[in-house]
Amino acid sequence: QEQLLESGGGLVQTGDSLRLSCATSGLIFDSYVMGWFRQAPGKEREFVGCIAANGITTDYADSVKDRFTVSRDNAKNTAYLQVNKLKPEDTAVYYCAAASRKLRSNDYLPEKVRQYIYWGQGTQVTVSS
């Protein structure tokens, strides 16, 4: 069975940093694009960033591109999201997700919720001013 478990969230102040982790099991980990999404109360889930199976190619939402970094450690079956210079508007539940790699292409970097098939339960990030 496929499991994704986020950790590393918390209550921080504006300008602080966090490192979110997504530990997985039951996946052929290097066959999946790993994505990060976030959802604030009353808002739709939105794309944050993702990283290809090769651990090199990445894609980010414009709102976080210069502050957030997605990475992965295929030996540990774990994905990460480094979040820097946090702002109150970053407050949300952060989810990791896995999207099936298409045709073994590292150019497949999906940004839509519907393109991801496995999801974690999320970790809360709260940024106070």
Side-chain angles (χ1 to χ4, degrees):
Q1 54 182 348
E2 300 81 11
Q3 292 183 309
L4 288 71
L5 180 62
E6 301 94 337
S7 62
L11 175 61
V12 298
Q13 295 182 336
T14 298
D16 285 352
S17 299
L18 287 170
R19 187 196 191 208
L20 310 183
S21 297
C22 175
T24 73
S25 62
L27 299 174
I28 304 176
F29 184 70
D30 62 4
S31 294
Y32 290 89
V33 178
M34 295 302 300
W36 287 91
F37 292 76
R38 66 185 182 184
Q39 188 167 22
K43 299 184 67 177
E44 295 183 0
R45 192 168 301 184
E46 66 175 351
F47 173 75
V48 174
C50 66
I51 184 167
N54 64 6
I56 298 173
T57 314
T58 57
D59 185 37
Y60 298 94
D62 288 342
S63 61
V64 305
K65 184 177 180 63
D66 296 326
R67 298 185 296 118
F68 291 11
T69 303
V70 181
S71 62
R72 66 192 292 161
D73 187 338
N74 285 353
K76 296 182 178 179
N77 296 331
T78 301
Y80 304 94
L81 179 67
Q82 179 71 37
V83 294
N84 297 329
K85 300 178 181 178
L86 285 163
K87 307 173 182 178
E89 53 262 44
D90 294 320
T91 295
V93 177
Y94 283 72
Y95 299 90
C96 67
S100 184
R101 185 182 179 189
K102 301 293 186 180
L103 303 174
R104 301 182 64 82
S105 174
N106 288 309
D107 295 323
Y108 181 62
L109 299 168
E111 299 181 349
K112 302 296 185 181
V113 168
R114 65 178 180 270
Q115 295 176 294
Y116 288 80
I117 58 174
Y118 301 120
W119 292 83
Q121 293 186 329
T123 185
Q124 177 72 46
V125 173
T126 302
V127 186
S128 63
S129 59

